[in-house]
Every structure is written in structure tokens, then in C-alpha cells.
Amino acid sequence: MVSTILRQTFLQQSRSPSIRQISYSCRRLNGALKSGPSHNSVNPDEIAHFSKLSSEWWDEQGEFSFLHKMNPVRMQFIRDRIFEVAQEENPGLSSKPHQALQGLDILDVGCGGGLLSESLARMGANTLGIDASQSNIAIASSHASADPALKPASGRSNLRYRNAPAETLLLEPKRYDVVCSMEVLEHVENPADFLSTCAELLKPGGHLFLSTIARTPTAYFLTILVAEDILGKVSKGTHTYAKYIKPSELLDYFRDYHSPPNNQLKTSPPVSSRPWITSPSSTTYLNRSEADIRGLIYKPLAARWSLAPRDAWWALECNYMLWVRKPKEPYAAAR
Amino acid sequence: MPLSRTTTGRFANRIFRQSLTAQRYQSTGIPSSEVIDTDVVIVGGGPAGLALASTLGSSESIRNNLKVTLVDGGDLSKIKTWNAPPTSFSNRVVSLTNKSKAFLTDIGAWDHVDEARTNAVEHMQVWDGVSDARIEFDAQDLQLTRVNNGMATLTEILNLQRALLRHLDNLPNIQLLHRTKVTSITADSEDKGSWPLIHLDNNSTLRARLLVGADGFNSPVRTFAQIPSFGWGYNTQAIVATLVHPPRGAFEGPNTTAYQRFLPTGPIAFLPLSPTMSSLVWSTKPALAAALQAADPNVLAIMINAAFRLPHLSMKYLHQRILESHAAGISILPDTLRQELQFREQSHAVGPTSAYSSLQIIGGQQGIPPADSEMVPPLVTQIQAGTVASFPLKYNHAETYLGEGVGARTVLVGDAAHTIHPLAGQGLNLGLGDVESLANCITATIATGGDIGSYTSLLRYSQSRYLANHTVMSAVDKLHKLYSTDSDAIVWARSVGVEVLNELDSVKAAMMMSAGADFGNVAPPSWSASGWNIAASGVEILAKATKTAEAVGNTLTSTIGANLSTFIRSTRP
Ligand SMILES: Cc1cc2nc3c(=O)[nH]c(=O)nc-3n(C[C@H](O)[C@H](O)[C@H](O)COP(=O)(O)OP(=O)(O)OC[C@H]3O[C@@H](n4cnc5c(N)ncnc54)[C@H](O)[C@@H]3O)c2cc1C
């Protein structure tokens, strides 16, 4: 457990702007693991370094401009999936898409500077943004405090931040309607553990949203070669090709994934619960009430991201988003 | 120089970046007054600002999410209660395109316009004051989506502003602060993305998520945001006035034709408002404008009639007379001017019954209209008292519509962003296009939980407007330049150009746009901008043609003599 937390600590940090630290920290981390029990603190030098770069989170024309531009598209995907499900389950519902998130409990894992968290809160969700990097949380909190609609003191704020790795939340009883984790997966050392943590933080019937980069030549070309090396738009070392995850790998994970009993993390799931995705991997077909996967396409002329149409598999070459829903009844009736 | 100011501004931003720490509430220079958090602060209650407030107020999602305040230095209640008799019209009239009108209808504001005071333009007559080459437009030529809308709608700005204010009466969520001046604007921190503090002369301060400068040409908001703007004066003054004239005869049809003649001193336009009243926009040299404004209104009326009729050379002479007597401090008498005119018309063989005579009026006889009477506007008999005024004309385009650094969370709309020559009647139409686009941008941002003041969310607005506006602006500017000369070569090319290009041409495209033709479903949405592109390139072709004309003209001059080239010109209708 400690090691998982520790791993998460590191991994969440590593998606902060100073990702060029990855390989360096990796070595450090491995060393730390070998030398027995470790603590969850961060080196003060690193904090300072993170802090400097983290403040760039909200520089919309800086290194993170692409994240700012991607944010509306992500929100649109999240909003529409949740709205669609709500409509299906409750056809009489008169709400509009922009009300879809109102009152939901949403956890944003690896919230960074709070780009997504702020948007979720503005749309009425009770939002908790967590990040293992203390400086990211400081930046996110400070940014929100300038906004009268979000600042905690305003009383009407439904946005909170915590400096914590996702695993620690498993120890608490609270579960969420929605768990989001944007651009974290590709920086994570053990994606399987990370995914199961996110999955188990959900209430039955809850929604999991992930965004990440595919391990394809296109993605390599665009995110590492062009963005980092040629254009220098993203700090070098931000991305590690080997950590990119293909859409098919992610889908297969949820084809095999069964919620453990009582929402408690167990090593082997009971056979009786149904997997999150039931359509076989031999087809590209996904049951619309279970999962959806969409590519994000950048339109250079408009300098804008947009969501690729459903079934546009070619668009999954690079940045993509996955929505998958936790089965309502984790246990199928004993057969 | 605004340009140099920006350089320092940009530079300063870079310095601010260095000191990026969370010190948001170390507000620089906030007076001890109360600070009110507001989502949208619109500075300016002109037509653009009021239209924006109305649009935001009529969108449910915006109404439910945002607190909107409009600030204006003037007394808006005077505009709201403005009530003019049907026999008089305010001198500030604009031509609205069908697209603008449809937009105002969609937001529910057009319902409050007193439609009896508006007028649809069914035809346009545009001609070159030197060569007299002419283009005509007819509403029927255009594939209009709505019948009976004409090519464009003329309305007093006051009628529109009043409608918007009445509409806002039904939208209590929008707060109007009138008779309140913005005294200064500061940033609440040194961060990028700082929030603007708008200090008002009533001692309160608004802190805005999004600050909109709809504060006209001299935009204090633009200055605060350190947005440089680029432009020049045209050394031209536009005289406006409300004109009284007899109704058109039964054979002539209603007063629904707009006229514009391009004189080398600037275009003169006649915009029909009612059967017996029309609006004047006469762009001319500042000295002439001053002299005309100072003259007896009857003298001005005669000059207007002449300006639509008299051959260019004689018009030039009359201008000279007016200037001389003004300089000498003698006011020229209407009768003296009439005699002068009579002499001039005789020498041009313009008989007293000709449509081109400015003097037919003197007899006061309204019989069968002379041939070609629809080629020129009705004769002006009187100028509505107190309506003569003038405005300096300029071209000005802000370098960007989005502030950065100290100007973060700031956008410009309407004349604050761009000012153009009125010859194509586009100024406010561009402004309304801005308003529509900004409102769409805000709605889209809200729909995904974005921050409406953020640079990224506003980018959509500037992307959709900047180039579109620029295209129209440069086409209008080129038209102005092309027509404000009486150099033979250019006039020759111009007259050829106007005719040769008559069917498909650029000038026509530009003027149709100016007429506000609505191409409805027939054309893709980008058509209106591309129409102007055609216009701009057409004008360039024309400019190249002048080089050819110059060459041809030189040859003609040297071999046959100047008379022939004049003759070639005069044979063109
Ligand atoms: C002769 C002429 C003819 C024209 N014809 C046409 C036409 O046919 N068609 C067309 O579309 N356009 C036309 N235009 C252009 C059109 O009139 C303008 O584009 C339009 O009026 C601009 O509106 P606006 O709301 O952007 O700015 P403005 O009307 O200039 O409004 C600015 C407002 O900001 C307020 N303000 C400024 N500073 C402060 C401050 N510090 N504090 C508080 N309030 C402040 C002012 O009180 C004012 O109400 C013409 C213009 C001219 C001059």
C-alpha cells in the first residue's frame, strides 16, 4: 500500500510541468524503494522547481496553452456523456446539457493547476481536485481564490482542492459520481493500479473519464518529436513514448475489469461481477451505455481542438478520451 | 503614439511574468471604495454596447450564470423616453444590413423599434462624380431571403438605442449604470490573467471577470488595455442633416432609393427615410464642411441638390465660391447661389425641366417628372432645423481585440475596435457582428464551464471577427482612395472599371455588401466576407488598370491631344 501511495505521489508530481524531472526522479524513486520504507514528502528543491513551473499552468499563451484549448472539448465530452446517460435513464428529465453536472460529486485526479476542476465546479458539480504535488494544489487554490464564483470563502463555492494521492481517498468512505483523470495515465508507472484506484473511487453506476495519448507513430511524431523537439512548445522530457497507452489496451483493461466486492480493493475480483465493458475485443463496437472512446483532433487553422466523431478510429492515433461506466450492480445475480 | 506605448506595455508584461506569485489581492491603487464583483462589465451605451447587453440578457444560460453591468457616461433615460413627431427625424441614421436586422430580431430587440420610422432601401444608384459611370442595384436582383425587406433598412440610431433600452427594461438581470463615467481602470494584480478594476465617478469600483470596451472610437478601455490601434484620418468631415423634399411623383415610385455620388472631395449620400424626408451623409474636405455648415441652410440645400447633379467641374467652382465667401466672412446669399447655378446649368445645356437641374424647384411646379428623374434624388427644399452636424472621418483598427497582461480579460467591440469611412454604411453592422460573435463565444464558454474572461475562451471571438472586419475595412478604404481623386488616368480606369465590371465586379460586390444585401441560404455563411474579398481584389485590378490607363492616356495625349481623352471620357454615359 505504502509503495502504491508513494508511486502515485511521484507519478502525480511527474505530470506537473517539470516533467523533465521524470527520469531523474525515477532513479531516485527506485533507489528509495530499495532502501526500505519511505516517506511521502517531497524534496524542498523540487517544490521550488515545481512552483516556478506550476505558475505557468495559468499562462494561457505559454507551455500549457494546448491544455487550455483542449479543456472545452474535454468538458464537452464529459458533459454530453453524462447528459446522455441521464436522459436514457430518466427520459422525462427536462434538464439541458449544461445542467448535466449540477450537484454531482466529481473527483479530478491529478488536477494540476485546476483547469478541469474549475470548469467542473462552474458547471455546478461538487468538485474535489486532488494532486500529489503540493505546489500544484497551491497554484490551483490561489487561482480559484481570485475568482469570486470559486473562492472557498464565498460560501457558494463547490470547489475544493487537496494535496493527496488518489490511493489515500480509498481509505475514506466517500465515493464519487464521476472520476476524471486527464493526461495522467501516460505519466503513471503502473497504469493498472492507477486505473483500479480510479475505478473503485466511483459509486456504482458512476462515470470514469480518462484522457491520454496513444502509443502510435503519429503520437510520437506529434507529441514528442514536433511538440518537444522541433517546436519546443512543451518542455523536453514531458512525455515518454513507452508510457503511452493504446486505446485498445485501455479498452481491453476494462473488458477484463470486474469491480471488487464492497468497493474494496481486492487482488482478484469475484468472477460473478460483470466486466465494465462487455463487447468483445474482436469488434470495434462499444455499447453506448458502457463506454465511448474519442479522439481529439487539433485544427491548426482554427487553432482549436475538437472531438472526433464516434467510430473515427483514425482519430485515436494521438490524444484521446475514454468514458467508461461502472456497472450499477457490481454483482451479477449468482448464475 | 499608441504604438510606442504598446511596446512598453508588452515589455512590461514580460517583466510581470517574472514576479508571478500568488499576490492577487495586493491590488494596486484600489481606492478605499467598495469593490463589486461582476461577471461582465460593458463600458459604453452606444448601439453596440446596448446590443451586447440585450443579447446577453436574452440568453437564458447567460442570464442564469452571469452578472452583467453596463456603464455609460451619458443620460440613457433621455434616449429611452425620446419621442419625436413623425414629421421630424434625428440626423444620425444608419443603414442596417438584413443580417444585422435579423440578429436584432432574434434577440427580441427589433420588436421595440418604431418601424414606422424605419425605411427599407429597395434600389441603389451609385455613380462616379467625374465620369458619371453608374451602377444600379435593385432589391429584386438580390436573392433576398425575406421579401419586403429591401436591400437594407435605414433607421435613426436613437430609434435603435431606444428599442434596445426598452428591451433591456424586460431584462432586469442586466444592470444599467448611466450618467456614470469610468474614471480609470487598473489591474487587480500583476499576474497574467489579472482582473480589471473599473473605477467609476460615483466612487464605486467594479471588478470584472470580463471587461468589454464598447466605448466608441476614443475607447478609454482600449487605452487601459494597452491595445494599440492603427489608422489615419481621412482629412474628411461628414456632414449629416435631415432633408425635407416633396414626395416622389406617381410615376416615380416611393422614396426607397438610396443615392450616392462619388465626388473627388468625397461621396455624398442620400438615404430615404419617409416619402418626404431623407438623411444626408456628405463626406467632404474639412474647410468645405465648415463653410457649408456655417452657411444659410438654404445655401446648403442648394449645394446638396447641385452636388447630386452638377458636372464635376462646375461643382468644383461652386465649392470655391463657398470657400472664398466663408473665408472673407461674407455669407453667400441663396439667390446669389441660384444665379450662379443657373449660369452653370445653361453652360452645360441643362434645361430648367431636366432632372439634372437643381433649379426646377424654384418654380415649385410638380408636374410630370422629367426623364431620368429616378437617376437623382428628389430636390431638397428645406433642411430640418438643428440637424446639421459633422463628424471627422477616420480609419482605425485595433491591433487585437483581446487585451493581454494589464489588459487581460478585456475585449473590444464596435467602434472601439474599428472605425471606418461611412461610404459603405458598414460601421455599426460590423459592430453588431462583433456583438453577435462575442455573445456566441460567451454562451459556448458557459456551456463547457469555461472562464468567460480567459484568453483562450475569447480567442474564438477574435478569430471569428478580426479578419472578417479587416477585409471589409480595407475594401472600403480602397474604394475611398480610388474615388477621391480626379486624376484623369484613374477616372478613366474607374469609369471603364465600373462598367466593365458591372455584372460580376468588385465594386458591385462591395456596394451590394454596403447595401447590406443578404444572400440568405443561397450562399455559404462566409460569403459576406468573401464578397468583400472579391471587392478588394477587384479594386486592386482597377488600380492596375489605372497604370494601363495612364500609359494609354499618355499615348493619346501625345499623339492626338488631351481633347480626345476627355472626349473618350465624355462619351461614356
Ligand atoms: C456620418 C456617419 C454615418 C454612418 N453611417 C453608418 C451606416 O449607414 N451604417 C452603419 O452600420 N454604420 C454607420 N456609421 C457608423 C456608426 O454610426 C458607428 O459604427 C456606431 O454608431 C458605433 O457605435 P458604438 O456603440 O460602437 O460606439 P458609440 O456610438 O461611439 O458609443 C460609445 C459610447 O461609450 C460611452 N463612453 C465613452 N467613454 C466612456 C466613459 N469613459 N465612461 C462611460 N461611458 C463612456 C459614450 O457615452 C457612448 O455612449 C456611420 C458613422 C458616421 C460618422
Side-chain angles (χ1 to χ4, degrees):
Chain A
M1 195 63 200
V2 172
S3 76
T4 321
I5 293 170
L6 186 70
R7 188 162 55 237
Q8 279 311 314
T9 311
F10 155 63
L11 294 168
Q12 307 265 325
Q13 280 164 9
S14 65
R15 67 172 301 247
S16 84
S18 65
I19 290 157
R20 91 179 49 146
Q21 297 265 312
I22 278 189
S23 48
Y24 158 73
S25 308
C26 233
R27 267 178 266 124
R28 231 189 96 239
L29 190 70
N30 289 337
L33 277 177
K34 274 186 203 130
S35 59
S38 184
H39 50 89
N40 197 0
S41 72
V42 184
N43 177 325
D45 287 350
E46 277 185 4
I47 294 182
H49 186 70
F50 285 143
S51 209
K52 191 170 161 290
L53 279 166
S54 292
S55 61
E56 301 281 318
W57 271 116
W58 288 99
D59 176 0
E60 295 178 64
Q61 285 144 281
E63 187 169 319
F64 287 88
S65 67
F66 79 99
L67 275 187
H68 285 272
K69 285 180 180 154
M70 247 184 214
N71 206 44
V73 187
R74 290 174 170 170
M75 285 300 297
Q76 181 199 337
F77 183 73
I78 293 170
R79 175 196 74 189
D80 290 352
R81 290 291 74 72
I82 293 175
F83 179 68
E84 207 175 282
V85 168
Q87 289 283 306
E88 246 156 51
E89 294 192 342
N90 196 350
L93 209 66
S94 65
S95 73
K96 306 217 168 74
H98 69 265
Q99 299 165 327
L101 305 191
Q102 246 151 39
L104 297 183
D105 288 329
I106 303 191
L107 177 68
D108 181 11
V109 179
C111 63
L115 267 66
L116 189 81
S117 297
E118 284 198 4
S119 293
L120 293 167
R122 271 196 206 93
M123 295 197 71
N126 301 316
T127 308
L128 174 63
I130 60 168
D131 202 294
S133 152
Q134 174 62 51
S135 60
N136 277 347
I137 290 299
I139 287 294
S141 308
S142 139
H143 189 266
S145 71
D147 189 328
L150 300 175
K151 71 174 161 209
S154 76
R156 57 178 172 131
S157 176
N158 46 3
L159 174 62
R160 287 176 308 129
Y161 287 113
R162 261 172 74 180
N163 174 211
E167 284 73 9
T168 52
L169 270 68
L170 282 176
L171 307 173
E172 300 165 9
K174 178 142 181 97
R175 292 297 177 261
Y176 298 84
D177 297 305
V178 180
V179 171
C180 304
S181 183
M182 300 293 120
E183 305 294 301
V184 176
L185 207 53
E186 68 267 28
H187 301 300
V188 155
E189 201 71 1
N190 187 340
D193 281 1
F194 178 75
L195 289 173
S196 72
T197 301
C198 292
E200 292 328 304
L201 284 166
L202 280 171
K203 294 177 186 167
H207 305 263
L208 176 60
F209 289 94
L210 297 164
S211 93
T212 188
I213 305 178
R215 192 173 67 252
T216 63
T218 317
Y220 170 75
F221 178 74
L222 291 178
T223 58
I224 298 182
L225 194 69
V226 178
E228 295 185 18
D229 295 349
I230 300 176
L231 298 177
K233 281 203 166 181
V234 179
S235 294
K236 275 212 172 175
T238 294
H239 298 109
T240 311
Y241 181 65
K243 287 186 179 166
Y244 287 7
I245 295 162
K246 287 183 178 169
S248 57
E249 294 167 345
L250 202 51
L251 292 174
D252 283 344
Y253 179 88
F254 286 102
R255 285 189 175 102
D256 290 340
Y257 188 79
H258 302 258
S259 303
N262 303 326
N263 278 336
Q264 274 176 19
L265 208 55
K266 289 260 172 83
T267 35
S268 61
V271 244
S272 54
S273 78
R274 83 155 165 87
W276 287 28
I277 297 179
T278 55
S279 60
S281 67
S282 53
T283 68
T284 54
Y285 165 83
L286 288 173
N287 185 330
R288 280 182 72 153
S289 62
E290 286 177 4
D292 189 12
I293 191 160
R294 298 284 195 102
L296 298 185
I297 335 171
Y298 188 67
K299 297 185 171 158
L301 277 185
R304 204 179 292 162
W305 288 89
S306 69
L307 210 56
R310 208 182 288 278
D311 297 334
W313 289 90
W314 50 267
L316 299 175
E317 287 281 285
C318 192
N319 288 77
Y320 66 94
M321 282 192 84
L322 171 79
W323 162 72
V324 58
R325 194 162 178 224
K326 183 171 190 159
K328 272 202 156 175
E329 300 301 331
Y331 297 102
R335 269 172 276 181
Chain B
M1 276 302 287
L3 278 174
S4 56
R5 174 152 30 91
T6 326
T7 333
T8 32
R10 288 256 166 88
F11 200 64
N13 296 349
R14 233 165 261 144
I15 294 167
F16 287 161
R17 267 179 80 159
Q18 314 281 315
S19 57
L20 263 179
T21 34
Q23 30 164 261
R24 291 200 156 256
Y25 283 114
Q26 262 186 30
S27 333
T28 37
I30 311 183
S32 53
S33 70
E34 181 194 7
V35 176
I36 305 157
D37 278 311
T38 311
D39 290 303
V40 184
V41 173
I42 302 167
V43 179
L50 290 175
L52 181 62
S54 288
T55 313
L56 299 183
S58 43
S59 148
E60 196 197 321
S61 74
I62 293 177
R63 225 177 17 235
N64 295 341
N65 281 286
L66 303 179
K67 195 174 148 197
V68 180
T69 302
L70 180 145
V71 184
D72 192 87
D75 188 346
L76 296 178
S77 64
K78 277 194 186 143
I79 298 175
K80 199 160 86 186
T81 55
W82 171 72
N83 201 356
T87 49
S88 84
F89 283 88
S90 143
N91 58 6
R92 291 305 323 276
V93 166
V94 286
S95 153
L96 292 179
T97 61
N98 285 329
K99 186 175 179 300
S100 294
K101 189 176 160 186
F103 166 61
L104 292 165
T105 308
D106 286 348
I107 62 167
W110 192 260
D111 287 348
H112 300 277
V113 168
D114 181 355
E115 280 212 283
R117 301 184 68 84
T118 68
N119 200 21
V121 178
E122 301 288 349
H123 312 272
M124 276 189 84
Q125 294 270 0
V126 178
W127 69 104
D128 182 342
V130 181
S131 72
D132 280 330
R134 185 181 282 262
I135 351 174
E136 297 172 24
F137 307 102
D138 199 297
Q140 260 119 53
D141 295 348
L142 312 169
Q143 290 167 292
L144 299 176
T145 38
R146 288 166 221 231
V147 211
N148 297 332
N149 249 359
M151 297 193 284
T153 304
L154 294 170
T155 175
E156 297 153 285
I157 292 184
L158 279 174
N159 192 2
L160 178 59
Q161 276 182 296
R162 182 181 61 181
L164 291 163
L165 285 166
R166 286 175 175 171
H167 184 47
L168 283 165
D169 263 355
N170 305 330
L171 305 168
N173 289 30
I174 310 290
Q175 195 194 6
L176 295 185
L177 284 179
H178 69 140
R179 286 183 292 180
T180 309
K181 273 218 167 65
V182 172
T183 53
S184 68
I185 305 175
T186 54
D188 79 334
S189 79
E190 292 189 344
D191 280 6
K192 292 198 152 201
S194 58
W195 293 49
L197 297 168
I198 300 102
H199 309 284
L200 306 177
D201 64 358
N202 66 7
N203 249 337
S204 63
T205 296
L206 303 173
R207 182 169 177 270
R209 181 184 295 282
L210 170 63
L211 168 61
V212 183
D215 45 355
F217 170 71
N218 285 315
S219 177
V221 170
R222 192 179 66 217
T223 308
F224 147 72
Q226 297 186 350
I227 297 176
S229 66
F230 175 66
W232 51 81
Y234 281 119
N235 190 30
T236 300
Q237 201 77 10
I239 306 174
V240 297
T242 304
L243 311 175
V244 183
H245 50 80
R248 300 228 99 162
F251 301 101
E252 293 169 311
N255 188 30
T256 50
T257 304
Y259 295 87
Q260 178 149 269
R261 185 185 189 197
F262 283 91
L263 293 166
T265 42
I268 179 168
F270 177 99
L271 309 168
L273 293 173
S274 81
T276 59
M277 306 202 83
S278 297
S279 186
L280 170 79
V281 181
W282 186 355
S283 309
T284 191
K285 296 292 152 220
L288 257 174
L292 288 166
Q293 265 184 276
D296 182 320
N298 289 319
V299 166
L300 179 58
I302 295 168
M303 287 298 286
I304 293 166
N305 290 332
F308 282 108
R309 291 169 172 79
L310 207 55
H312 164 57
L313 279 179
S314 288
M315 199 57 214
K316 223 169 160 174
Y317 174 80
L318 287 190
H319 279 157
Q320 211 49 47
R321 282 296 315 268
I322 296 275
L323 278 176
E324 278 161 12
S325 61
H326 182 63
I330 314 158
S331 44
I332 195 165
L333 293 175
D335 276 339
T336 323
L337 194 61
R338 278 189 199 111
Q339 278 161 22
E340 194 72 69
L341 204 53
Q342 198 162 19
F343 172 75
R344 295 262 139 204
E345 288 185 355
Q346 270 164 12
S347 70
H348 291 293
V350 173
T353 56
S354 158
Y356 287 91
S357 168
S358 307
L359 298 167
Q360 358 154 19
I361 200 162
I362 294 157
Q365 288 298 358
Q366 288 293 313
I368 292 174
D372 289 347
S373 72
E374 73 287 346
M375 301 285 274
V376 285
L379 282 164
V380 175
T381 50
Q382 206 189 319
I383 289 171
Q384 185 186 308
T387 61
V388 182
S390 78
F391 302 89
L393 299 184
K394 39 201 152 200
Y395 176 99
N396 195 64
H397 202 182
E399 221 168 67
T400 165
Y401 297 165
L402 305 187
E404 290 172 38
V406 274
R409 299 182 172 276
T410 305
V411 284
L412 304 176
V413 297
D415 274 25
H418 41 71
T419 312
I420 54 170
H421 196 291
L423 73 88
Q426 285 298 306
L428 182 57
N429 290 301
L430 297 185
L432 292 174
D434 298 346
V435 164
E436 182 173 15
S437 161
L438 180 58
N440 286 340
C441 169
I442 292 174
T443 311
T445 303
I446 289 178
T448 51
D451 176 353
I452 59 153
S454 70
Y455 184 85
T456 312
S457 75
L458 293 167
L459 216 49
R460 184 193 282 256
Y461 162 65
S462 77
Q463 278 172 355
S464 85
R465 293 307 297 164
Y466 198 88
L467 203 62
N469 286 342
H470 191 78
T471 308
V472 174
M473 293 176 73
S474 60
V476 170
D477 181 54
K478 283 175 183 164
L479 276 176
H480 166 80
K481 292 214 171 93
L482 185 68
Y483 280 93
S484 54
T485 173
D486 53 359
S487 128
D488 280 358
I490 293 179
V491 171
W492 184 80
R494 214 159 66 187
S495 63
V496 172
V498 167
E499 285 162 55
V500 168
L501 300 173
N502 199 12
E503 288 309 315
L504 284 172
D505 81 84
S506 60
V507 178
K508 186 159 183 173
M511 295 316 295
M512 288 211 294
M513 296 303 140
S514 78
D518 171 14
F519 297 89
N521 307 328
V522 186
S526 59
W527 211 95
S528 56
S530 64
W532 284 103
N533 270 325
I534 299 169
S537 64
V539 170
E540 265 149 29
I541 292 166
L542 230 54
K544 283 188 197 114
T546 60
K547 291 223 174 74
T548 322
E550 234 151 346
V552 175
N554 288 341
T555 321
L556 289 177
T557 315
S558 54
T559 53
I560 314 166
N563 287 342
L564 186 60
S565 59
T566 315
F567 171 75
I568 289 173
R569 275 207 341 245
S570 62
T571 52
R572 308 205 164 265

